[in-house]
Every structure is written in structure tokens, then in C-alpha cells.
Amino acid sequence: MLLCNRAERPGSAWQRELQAALPAVPIDPWQPGMAAEYDWALVWNPPQQLFDEQPQLKVAFNLGAGVDKLLSLRLPPALQVLRLQDAGMAVQMAEYVCHALIDFFRQLGVYRAQQRQGLWQPHAARERRAYPVGILGLGVLGTRVARAVQAFDFPVLGWSRTPRAVAGVRCFAGAGELDAFLAASRVLVCLLPLTATTRGLVDRARLRCLQPGGCLINIARGDLVVEDDLRAVLDDGHLAAAVLDVMAEEPLPAGHWLWSHPKVTLTPHISAMTLRREAVAQIAQAVQTGLRGEALPGLVDRARGY
């Protein structure tokens, strides 16, 4: 049986579409105190109570790419954790990054400000080769973003924990090559998962490794970046801009400096939203694979954190 804490109520669109895709599998929305025992749980920001009441669960399928919040809970030791591998998120992230990159590179924010002033003033064109784009995290999502950026003829670099090869991308790997990767980048795109080793990774020293006059684009997790350090490099001019879809605290509190900083553009964690149709298809495939006793797709290494 399958339990879904994403179904807000019995008969929700999620439950209807899941049931249509898995007609032979009983699917119930989670309610506190349920007596029945389930094998699988489909979860999004689940409460600890769900796992306390269902310790026999075999699989938890996280309805998103990031699993840091799920792994912070007390989970049954043998529980297997799956995550959405794409489900329409990669193309959304690619278009978000390309929009932010081109807006910055073409100085469109400057022209918007000039429009408000009634000022007609063209600025010199920039050279793409002077704005290399570094993708921090070359997994499925990062590779898709890299391919999209390549289409606009920017130099593209990528960094990953272990060596990877991506056509047309200058690849770096491991802690020993991180500073060299940053020094070769003017635009930095954060796409790493949040783990104990990546929390606070993008601090003042690493931001200063970037080529001056660049831009930070973070669409991964807010805690990857030390926000006070980001403020310092924006204020002293080393960074020209930051585009943030994620923050350390969400929703961002009223009065936080990020709301009003003139070099910061914010969006409310919308760079990649879970698309129900694509997610349901991936969930159904995973459940059917599990029922056949085959290796599950999208399996998370709980010790590694992704």
C-alpha cells in the first residue's frame, strides 16, 4: 500500500492521478493516527510523526530533487529514500538560469532603470568570452543547465565532487580544484545539494575567488551561501549582482537586507516547481519497478546526503 502526504485531502488531484497510474495499488492520504501499515510513502516536507507512526515503511519517495529536509528527520534505519530525478524540473532550471544570465550580461536591469528615468543611453556590448559561466554541481540538473547556457556561446565550466565529462564543458572535480574552478568563472550558478560538507561552502573567500564584476545565481539551497559574506562582496563591488531563488530562511523575513539590496534579485523558490503529470509518471514507474523486485531509480545515498 502507498501513503501520500502530498495529497491534501481525499480525492485530491494528486491522489486521483496516482490512482489512475497505479490502479492495483491502494493509495491513501496520510492522516495522523492511521492504524494501517504502509510500504511506501510519497512525501513533501513530511512531519516526524508520519515516520514515528509508520516505522515499517520500506520506501519514502521525496516529491522534489532536494532531500536535505527529509534526511534531517529520524528515519527508520532500513528505509530507502528516492527522489525525483527530473520530472520537468531540469528544463525549468535551465530557462531560469538563462534568463538571469542574459538579463545580467545584456545589462537589462540598467536599461529598466533608465526607462524609469526617461533616459535613452545605449551601453557598449560585452564579450561573451569575458563572462565564463561556472556550474557548481554537474548532476542531472547541472548538466542540463550547462547545455542550455552553451547554446548562447558562453564559455561553460563545471565542478563536481567526483570527475565528470560533459561535452563542451571545462570540468573540475574535488576540493583541490574548487578554487581554480571559481577563479576561472565570472558567473557562478549554484546547483549543489545541501549536505554537511556543502553548507556554507560559498563564503566570502570563495566569492572573492570569482572574477570581479560577476554574478551569483543560486537555485539550489540557500544555506550553500553565507548571506552576510555575499552582502560584503556586493557592497565592495567585487560582485555586481546576485539572483537568488533560495534563501537560508524561507519565507524571507520582513526587513531582511536581501529584500532591498539594489544588486539583488529575488524569487520565492520557484525556479523549478514539481509538475504533477511528470512526477506521477516517474512515481508510477518507480513503484512498478519496486513491485518487480528490480533496482529502484533515483535512490539516495543517505550517508552522502544525495
Side-chain angles (χ1 to χ4, degrees):
M1 293 191 295
L2 190 151
L3 188 64
C4 183
N5 95 299
R6 181 60 180 81
E8 296 85 353
R9 61 190 183 281
S12 72
W14 272 94
Q15 186 180 5
R16 289 197 308 271
E17 294 188 24
L18 283 166
Q19 197 66 79
L22 295 165
V25 177
I27 300 173
D28 298 316
W30 178 74
Q31 300 290 338
M34 297 178 76
E37 295 185 347
Y38 293 80
D39 299 317
W40 282 54
L42 307 180
V43 297
W44 180 247
N45 289 335
Q48 179 63 51
Q49 185 179 358
L50 186 153
F51 297 100
D52 291 343
E53 294 180 352
Q54 299 284 334
Q56 78 297 324
L57 281 169
K58 298 176 181 177
V59 178
F61 197 123
N62 190 64
L63 298 176
V67 294
D68 47 287
K69 291 183 180 179
L70 176 59
L71 295 184
S72 70
L73 300 177
R74 296 186 308 276
L75 302 177
L79 182 75
Q80 293 182 292
V81 175
L82 307 184
R83 62 180 175 86
L84 289 176
Q85 294 174 284
D86 184 342
M89 289 185 289
V91 68
Q92 293 180 72
M93 286 189 165
E95 66 189 9
Y96 185 102
V97 168
C98 288
H99 178 276
L101 169 63
I102 293 167
D103 188 87
F104 166 69
F105 176 71
R106 294 297 301 270
Q107 304 178 78
L108 298 181
V110 173
Y111 291 117
R112 286 192 291 270
Q114 290 182 186
Q115 178 185 348
R116 291 190 292 270
Q117 300 167 30
L119 179 60
W120 183 280
Q121 182 181 333
H123 297 273
R126 291 170 165 176
E127 294 189 11
R128 279 172 173 75
R129 64 182 179 180
Y131 286 81
V133 179
I135 310 295
L136 187 61
L138 272 182
V140 172
L141 301 176
T143 299
R144 179 67 179 86
V145 169
R147 291 206 313 268
V149 171
Q150 284 177 309
F152 294 97
D153 295 341
F154 288 94
V156 181
L157 307 88
W159 183 90
S160 52
R161 187 180 62 87
T162 55
R164 293 181 181 270
V166 179
V169 177
R170 182 182 172 193
C171 293
F172 298 76
E177 296 185 357
L178 178 57
D179 286 352
F181 159 77
L182 294 169
S185 305
R186 177 158 278 134
V187 177
L188 180 65
V189 180
C190 293
L191 273 164
L192 287 174
L194 181 62
T195 68
T197 57
T198 64
R199 186 181 297 274
L201 181 70
V202 184
D203 59 11
R204 188 176 314 201
R206 293 197 170 98
L207 288 167
R208 291 203 183 282
C209 285
L210 296 170
Q211 296 175 16
C215 178
L216 171 70
I217 303 171
N218 187 8
I219 58 173
R221 284 291 186 266
D223 282 325
L224 294 174
V225 177
V226 180
E227 289 177 350
D228 286 343
D229 290 357
L230 171 61
R231 184 178 192 175
V233 296
L234 288 169
D235 287 347
D236 70 18
H238 185 74
L239 271 189
V243 181
L244 308 176
D245 185 53
V246 289
M247 297 90 207
E249 183 178 355
E250 297 178 5
L252 188 66
H256 195 287
W257 69 267
L258 284 170
W259 282 116
S260 56
H261 198 287
K263 294 183 179 179
V264 174
T265 299
L266 301 179
T267 51
H269 207 139
I270 51 79
S271 62
M273 303 174 77
T274 301
L275 304 178
R276 189 168 61 242
R277 182 176 64 181
E278 288 83 351
V280 165
Q282 194 172 127
I283 293 164
Q285 180 185 26
V287 172
Q288 291 161 351
T289 298
L291 291 174
R292 293 193 297 268
E294 300 172 4
L296 294 171
L299 188 62
V300 171
D301 183 331
R302 288 177 55 180
R304 198 168 60 183
Y306 60 93

